[in-house]
Amino acid sequence: MAAHRSETLVEPKPVPLLNIANVLTILRILIVPLFLMALFARGGHDPQWRWAAAAAFGVAAITDRIDGQLARKYGLVTDFGKLADPIADKALIGAALIGLSMLHDLPWWITLVIVARELGVTLLRLAVVRRGVIPAGRGGKLKTLVQSVAIGVLLLPLSGAFATAGMDLMYVAVLLTVVTGLDYVVQAARLWFGSPGGSRAA
């Protein structure tokens, strides 16, 4: 009887590559060049185009949150999504930071710190991938959120208190970027040297 039951078990269907979560990830990647075109249009400081750039960035940032939720809720996680999602995130954030620095709206040191952290984390992830995976935690998610909000504010053609608030948020984002980056190094070292794996880095 048990053998009969085992024979009737149905294997789970493979997750299709073309699903809503992956489509949103691809959409986010495609938005990046459109965002840059809007950001640099008419010298980079035309109010209407800056609003358009901010809107494009906002849409892309929202899809980042939605596609992850959909993938987990409906079991749409794929190897492609695991690879493409962080690439899309880093492409969007990196493009925005570099663009703002080229337009002299953001100090280059901030851009270099954040970009260097993301590249370093990526290299560490590749180095320890055979020993284990360090899942994203609250610190990393908070870092990404603050980065996105700060960039969104700085993209808007605003001045005075709004511009100051944007820079204050960016300083907080830099602090979170460094702290979570160091946390990732600690967790990666524990994996590499055989200690229990970590669970907090992004």
Side-chain angles (χ1 to χ4, degrees):
M1 186 70 176
H4 176 71
R5 288 182 179 178
S6 62
E7 292 176 358
T8 59
L9 290 177
V10 179
E11 295 184 1
K13 295 181 179 180
V15 180
L17 180 62
L18 189 62
N19 60 63
I20 184 62
N22 286 346
V23 168
L24 288 175
T25 298
I26 295 173
L27 175 63
R28 189 159 70 259
I29 295 175
L30 295 177
I31 287 177
V32 172
L34 299 178
F35 158 73
L36 288 173
M37 290 173 61
L39 180 60
F40 286 100
R42 296 185 180 179
H45 290 98
D46 179 82
Q48 292 183 341
W49 280 107
R50 287 297 287 261
W51 279 103
F57 180 86
V59 170
I62 291 173
T63 64
D64 175 32
R65 185 171 183 82
I66 294 176
D67 64 8
Q69 291 178 337
L70 291 175
R72 290 186 295 270
K73 183 176 181 179
Y74 296 104
L76 301 177
V77 178
T78 63
D79 290 338
F80 172 81
K82 293 178 182 179
L83 176 65
D85 188 68
I87 291 176
D89 298 341
K90 289 175 174 56
L92 178 65
I93 297 294
L97 293 171
I98 293 173
L100 287 170
S101 292
M102 291 178 65
L103 294 172
H104 307 290
D105 292 332
L106 182 68
W108 271 106
W109 72 266
I110 291 179
T111 295
L112 293 176
V113 167
I114 295 177
V115 171
R117 184 270 190 194
E118 297 302 334
L119 290 176
V121 165
T122 300
L123 293 176
L124 277 175
R125 181 179 288 116
L126 293 175
V128 303
V129 66
R130 292 187 178 182
R131 297 176 182 267
V133 176
I134 304 175
R138 292 182 179 180
K141 293 177 182 178
L142 178 61
K143 176 265 300 180
T144 302
L145 175 62
V146 176
Q147 282 182 358
S148 298
V149 174
I151 290 171
V153 174
L154 292 175
L155 286 171
L156 296 174
L158 304 174
S159 59
F162 290 101
T164 301
M167 282 307 305
D168 289 342
L169 279 173
M170 187 57 73
Y171 291 136
V172 174
V174 171
L175 178 61
L176 291 171
T177 297
V178 173
V179 171
T180 56
L182 292 174
D183 183 62
Y184 195 97
V185 171
V186 172
Q187 301 302 319
R190 288 178 177 175
L191 280 178
W192 184 262
F193 294 107
S195 298
S199 62
R200 297 191 302 276

